[in-house]
Amino acid sequence: MLKLQAVQIIQNGEPLFHPLSIDIKAGEIASIMGTSGCGKSTLLSAISGNLADVFSLEGDIQLNDQSVLPLPMEKRRIGILFQDDLLFPHMSIAENLAFALPQALPKSERQEKIVEALKQAGLPGFEKRDPGTLSGGQRARVSLLRSLLAEPRALLLDEPFSKLDQELKDQIRTFVFDTVRRMNIPALLVSHDIRDCPEGQVINLANQEGQDVR
Amino acid sequence: MRIRLTLPNRLSLFPIVTSTCFLSAILIGLFSTWTQAFGYMPSIGSNHFSLEPWTRLFTHPGFVNSLKATLVSGIGATLLSLSITFLLFAVSYQTRFWRILDQTLAPLLAIPHAAFAIGFMFLVSPSGWIMRLFSPGVTGFDIPPDWNITGDAWGISLMLVLVLKEVPFLVLMSLGGLGRLDVRGSLAVGRSLGYHRVLVWVKIILPQLYPRIRLSLFAILAYSLSVVDIAQIIGPTVPPTLAVQVFRWFNDPDLVSRLLGASGATLILLLVVIAIAILYLLELIVQCFLKRQVTSGNRHFCVLFPNLLSKLFIIAMVGISLTAITVLLIWSFTWRWRFPDLFPGSWSLRFWSKGLMQVQDPIWNTVKTGITASLLGVFLVIGCLENELRLKRAGIHTNTPTMLWLTYLPLLIPQIAFLFGVQVTLAAFRLDGHWPSLVWSHLLFVIPYVFLSLGPIYRSYDQRMTDVALTLCGSPWRVFYRIKLLILLKPILFAFAIGFSVSVAQYLPTLFMGAGRFDTITTEAVNLASGSDRRIVAVYALCQLLTPLLIFLSALLIPRFVFRNRREMQG
């Protein structure tokens, strides 16, 4: 369970939004809405541990009943999916995915996991491919696979569909949401577009009333 | 039918003129040096090919030690500079500590090599400032010890000076190379996958950065293996590095020594080629190793040691540079300074007044040559860039990797391996020792740096500005100099200043092409450095340092003044 308790982000003594509290259960995808510049991406970087120096954080963020605030980004095990897929351009698809896998796995199993993950994502046999030759939708799927292969305890989605065109968007949305639910981890999505948000809790960061839009 | 060259077509002449300017010198120089290396030099009555210069070279007493010092200082400096640069980026990039480096980078780069080497010598020599700091208290010395610190047989001090000068250059080139990489994104992704920041640098970012700075690294390698001026100041003496030894042979009154010099110069070129090949091989091996590391998922890492090392190096680099200049300043105002006193016993302005009288001619030569060469350089480079733009608009693919190699060519071939050949050829036509030849030889090294400094910014100019202006005024020429040149005034002046400082620093071209007829502040400072009065040497070194510095300052201040009421032009 991912828990935000009265979280506020302060810049130059001014809070960016009202104190925010939300509980997200495993397998649930909550959404935060807001216009651009309202601080929603900053909130995600605070949760992931990548908050820039100019901001400070108040309140508490807990994952499975433990505060993650004392941990550096790399120890939090919180995955993020950005607008850009950020695949490493100099590595093959398999290498991109292998980078994410935990070291504990033996070599044969690593290979197996990659093959299996690509197959499930509808990208069988893509191991040796150069990321540069993939379409936007294929890249987005690989990017999600990469976040998930690191076995994160929670997943953050930072407007992950905003750069995809409408047809692709629906397809990727379904893929992402299904995959997250199957992984059974809490996920938090931010977007400025209500159509991106899945069913479930939606919080508008501007007025911050929990609302059920559907 | 008469063919008239229109303005855009005339542009196509620029790359031709520019590359001819390079290639002619390099080809003539290499060819002439190579023929001499095999014993063919009709002007001294040797007109048959033989291997004799080579056998004499290899059996020359001290050859092995020369080679040893050359390889240690040259290859050591290159590998150390690369490792330190990578360490700095991996550990300190965009941390609070990085700001120190960020702000001192330009001034560090602006210090000429020779002046820096002289300052460094005054710092670490047995009677230098560091020894004075610990004497007699810690060391117990009342007179300077008889140690070979500067001029050590392995070329370690030379290597250190090279590293301290090359790291800022490599950092600058890396900053340019990082421009197109998404560093923030890679760091965020890598860290969210559980990797420490430094590990993300090592496994993901540095492997992408290396190909972008590879050519700069090769240039550093070629320079470090063949440097003459600072090796004369701080390199080993008996025997000196190979490059210095070759330089001495070239200047030997006994003309047969020149054949020996030519074979030595060719050997240096060979060393550079082999070293570059080895670096390529190393790259492949490291790539292979890294690939396994990257896909292994290993996230273990200890940050303490590299962190400390990186901070130490930044402090050392900035600190040593500052103290080296300070000690130059102190010496220049000294009247009496006994060992082991920490400061001079009495001060005087006498050496400044004496020095300034002596440096007038050299400084005039330096400024005249520097300004002409860098003006010509900026003119040619802008012409080439405009031509590139014209071709791009016409949809013609300009082969950029080839262009880049061509730009770097004069920096990849050791000066000593071809300049003497050029001189011999020029002398055959009685063209050496003329000022235009001198300017030409400086231009050879000014153009690459002007290109490297101006190119990226010039290419990123918003072409729509020109398009809008054209619809308003219609005269391409007027639009070019009233809109584009003025908008780009700052980078153009900066590139000019870079070109000027490169010209000021030239030692071998000035001596070889000038046939000894033109003294610049650099040739004078280097020649005085070993064995002359420290106080006068300090004055010369400071003059060598101040000349480009003044030009840099004006390059910064002129645009600021011209656009003082234009906020968007400040940045």
Side-chain angles (χ1 to χ4, degrees):
Chain A
M1 176 133 87
L2 179 64
K3 224 182 224 171
L4 271 58
Q5 289 174 338
V7 169
Q8 261 195 320
I9 291 170
I10 318 284
Q11 182 181 21
N12 302 327
E14 296 275 321
L16 296 184
F17 42 78
H18 293 294
L20 174 76
S21 297
I22 183 172
D23 289 359
I24 311 168
K25 292 193 287 289
E28 182 190 353
I29 304 166
S31 312
I32 288 182
M33 292 276 310
T35 48
S36 53
C38 74
K40 47 187 198 311
S41 291
T42 317
L43 175 68
L44 285 198
S45 48
I47 301 174
S48 68
N50 199 21
L51 196 63
D53 284 346
V54 290
F55 301 106
S56 59
L57 179 101
E58 281 180 12
D60 196 15
I61 301 169
Q62 292 186 349
L63 191 54
N64 307 334
D65 297 322
Q66 268 194 330
S67 175
V68 295
L69 294 184
L71 297 175
M73 184 176 189
E74 58 269 17
K75 297 267 184 235
R76 292 193 183 183
R77 292 185 52 207
I78 299 178
I80 331 177
L81 210 56
F82 294 98
Q83 277 180 22
D84 300 299
D85 49 65
L86 293 171
L87 294 182
F88 304 129
H90 62 303
M91 287 155 59
S92 72
I93 297 298
E95 284 164 2
N96 263 284
L97 296 178
F99 183 71
L101 284 170
Q103 193 191 6
L105 294 174
K107 205 175 171 189
S108 57
E109 215 171 303
R110 307 174 72 79
Q111 194 56 35
E112 229 166 78
K113 275 215 150 182
I114 292 171
V115 172
E116 186 55 30
L118 282 172
K119 211 179 276 170
Q120 275 189 13
L123 302 167
F126 271 58
E127 290 82 2
K128 292 257 165 74
R129 291 281 292 270
D130 167 14
T133 63
L134 267 60
S135 72
Q138 293 170 332
R139 294 177 61 112
R141 274 181 275 172
V142 175
S143 183
L144 176 73
L145 290 182
R146 188 176 61 179
S147 313
L148 295 178
L149 283 179
E151 300 176 2
R153 301 185 293 168
L155 187 68
L156 307 175
L157 304 155
D158 190 356
E159 308 215 19
F161 316 120
S162 63
K163 287 200 174 165
L164 302 172
D165 54 38
Q166 195 55 48
E167 199 183 330
L168 213 54
K169 206 183 242 185
D170 296 336
Q171 189 196 337
I172 300 295
R173 248 171 55 97
T174 321
F175 173 69
V176 170
F177 296 156
D178 288 351
T179 315
V180 170
R181 286 188 188 115
R182 203 178 55 237
M183 293 281 297
N184 203 28
I185 52 172
L188 179 62
L189 177 143
V190 302
S191 178
H192 63 275
D193 188 352
I194 188 71
R195 286 167 298 178
D196 281 354
C197 306
E199 285 176 43
Q201 303 186 68
V202 176
I203 287 182
N204 193 327
L205 208 54
N207 54 26
Q208 264 179 50
E209 283 158 18
Q211 41 178 253
D212 199 351
V213 264
R214 271 165 286 249
Chain B
M1 199 176 81
R2 260 178 67 202
I3 300 172
R4 267 186 62 200
L5 284 175
T6 57
L7 179 71
N9 284 336
R10 250 179 266 159
L11 281 175
S12 61
L13 294 176
F14 276 95
I16 300 172
V17 171
T18 313
S19 42
T20 313
C21 172
F22 283 1
L23 292 178
S24 59
I26 292 172
L27 291 179
I28 292 170
L30 285 180
F31 181 74
S32 162
T33 311
W34 288 348
T35 49
Q36 290 158 39
F38 290 95
Y40 186 79
M41 195 175 181
S43 56
I44 62 165
S46 168
N47 43 19
H48 57 277
F49 287 97
S50 78
L51 284 175
E52 206 211 325
W54 290 91
T55 48
R56 275 185 59 204
L57 173 70
F58 292 132
T59 54
H60 187 270
F63 168 76
V64 175
N65 283 333
S66 285
L67 190 66
K68 190 178 72 185
T70 304
L71 291 178
V72 168
S73 58
I75 294 180
T78 311
L79 293 181
L80 261 180
S81 303
L82 179 71
S83 330
I84 290 168
T85 305
F86 276 4
L87 177 82
L88 293 184
F89 274 96
V91 179
S92 302
Y93 185 59
Q94 283 179 346
T95 60
R96 249 168 259 153
F97 224 75
W98 188 261
R99 263 169 242 164
I100 302 177
L101 190 62
D102 227 14
Q103 279 165 4
T104 46
L105 203 57
L108 285 183
L109 278 167
I111 307 173
H113 282 80
F116 181 78
I118 293 172
F120 188 79
M121 179 175 73
F122 287 179
L123 213 54
V124 303
S125 72
S127 60
W129 220 17
I130 294 177
M131 195 61 85
R132 288 166 192 264
L133 189 63
F134 297 108
S135 298
V138 180
T139 60
F141 292 135
D142 285 320
I143 49 164
D146 186 21
W147 292 351
N148 232 349
I149 306 178
T150 52
D152 58 293
W154 288 85
I156 304 288
S157 331
L158 173 61
M159 182 179 80
L160 285 180
V161 169
L162 286 169
V163 167
L164 289 169
K165 280 305 290 174
E166 297 306 350
V167 167
F169 172 68
L170 212 50
V171 168
L172 185 80
M173 299 316 284
S174 305
L175 283 174
L178 284 178
R180 290 201 184 165
L181 298 178
D182 189 351
V183 175
R184 281 168 59 104
S186 299
L187 280 175
V189 168
R191 291 184 65 194
S192 79
L193 296 175
Y195 288 87
H196 189 274
R197 197 166 48 86
V198 175
L199 270 184
V200 182
W201 270 97
V202 173
K203 292 189 169 191
I204 300 293
I205 303 173
L206 294 182
Q208 293 181 74
L209 176 62
Y210 182 77
R212 286 154 209 261
I213 57 164
R214 200 193 280 129
L215 275 177
S216 314
L217 191 73
F218 291 170
I220 290 176
L221 183 68
Y223 177 82
S224 307
L225 279 172
S226 66
V227 62
V228 170
D229 48 1
I230 56 176
Q232 273 186 318
I233 297 169
I234 202 150
T237 39
V238 237
T241 60
L242 211 49
V244 173
Q245 183 61 59
V246 166
F247 178 67
R248 286 189 194 160
W249 282 327
F250 279 149
N251 285 322
D252 200 310
D254 175 13
L255 294 177
V256 182
S257 289
R258 300 197 170 177
L259 301 177
L260 198 56
S263 62
T266 308
L267 179 68
I268 292 176
L269 179 65
L270 264 175
L271 289 180
V272 170
V273 172
I274 294 171
I276 286 181
I278 292 177
L279 269 186
Y280 251 122
L281 209 69
L282 269 179
E283 186 187 337
L284 291 179
I285 296 170
V286 171
Q287 226 171 30
C288 228
F289 169 76
L290 210 65
K291 199 164 238 179
R292 232 189 275 159
Q293 267 296 307
V294 166
T295 52
S296 74
N298 189 350
R299 287 153 168 90
H300 296 297
F301 171 70
C302 167
V303 74
L304 186 70
F305 186 57
N307 213 338
L308 219 72
L309 214 62
S310 155
K311 282 183 181 164
L312 261 178
F313 185 79
I314 295 184
I315 294 173
M317 186 166 68
V318 177
I320 290 176
S321 306
L322 281 179
T323 23
I325 293 173
T326 314
V327 79
L328 282 178
L329 270 171
I330 295 180
W331 268 112
S332 74
F333 289 108
T334 293
W335 177 239
R336 285 170 66 91
W337 192 357
R338 279 193 342 212
F339 191 87
D341 297 348
L342 194 54
F343 289 103
S346 50
W347 305 76
S348 162
L349 283 173
R350 178 185 300 214
F351 288 92
W352 269 105
S353 57
K354 188 177 161 198
L356 284 181
M357 291 290 285
Q358 291 172 3
V359 296
Q360 276 172 9
D361 277 349
I363 286 213
W364 171 235
N365 278 334
T366 310
V367 171
K368 189 171 64 173
T369 313
I371 286 189
T372 316
S374 27
L375 269 181
L376 274 173
V378 168
F379 175 71
L380 287 173
V381 166
I382 289 184
C384 289
L385 287 166
E386 279 299 317
N387 184 58
E388 196 183 296
L389 196 72
R390 177 184 71 91
L391 291 176
K392 204 173 134 198
R393 292 200 129 191
I396 298 169
H397 179 69
T398 42
N399 196 345
T400 33
T402 317
M403 278 297 294
L404 203 64
W405 269 96
L406 201 64
T407 316
Y408 265 97
L409 201 59
L411 310 181
L412 294 176
I413 300 175
Q415 290 189 344
I416 199 152
F418 72 101
L419 279 178
F420 183 70
V422 180
Q423 189 203 3
V424 171
T425 314
L426 286 186
F429 299 99
R430 298 189 183 283
L431 285 171
D432 63 332
H434 294 289
W435 188 67
S437 314
L438 181 68
V439 173
W440 174 51
S441 70
H442 281 208
L443 203 53
L444 218 61
F445 306 101
V446 166
I447 287 175
Y449 284 106
V450 170
F451 214 104
L452 289 175
S453 130
L454 188 56
I457 307 179
Y458 201 91
R459 289 189 188 106
S460 66
Y461 165 79
D462 190 348
Q463 188 58 32
R464 291 172 307 175
M465 300 274 189
T466 293
D467 297 344
V468 167
L470 273 175
T471 62
L472 299 174
C473 129
S475 154
W477 178 237
R478 259 187 65 188
V479 169
F480 176 68
Y481 74 85
R482 291 212 36 194
I483 306 293
K484 189 165 187 180
L485 281 194
L486 273 183
I487 287 181
L488 293 172
L489 183 67
K490 194 177 154 190
I492 289 174
L493 284 179
F494 191 75
F496 174 83
I498 298 253
F500 184 82
S501 67
V502 169
S503 165
V504 169
Q506 295 309 316
Y507 178 70
L508 279 190
T510 312
L511 285 184
F512 280 159
M513 301 301 156
R517 265 173 244 171
F518 299 95
D519 295 327
T520 63
I521 184 70
T522 298
T523 60
E524 292 292 276
V526 174
N527 292 343
L528 285 175
S530 45
S532 301
D533 187 330
R534 283 191 172 189
R535 295 164 293 189
I536 203 79
V537 173
V539 171
Y540 270 79
L542 285 170
C543 287
Q544 197 216 1
L545 196 144
L546 283 174
T547 318
L549 209 63
L550 288 177
I551 299 282
F552 264 108
L553 258 183
S554 356
L556 284 178
L557 292 181
I558 289 172
R560 225 175 254 186
F561 176 75
V562 173
F563 299 117
R564 62 193 174 284
N565 295 325
R566 299 284 176 274
R567 195 195 302 176
E568 286 185 11
M569 297 298 292
Q570 294 299 324

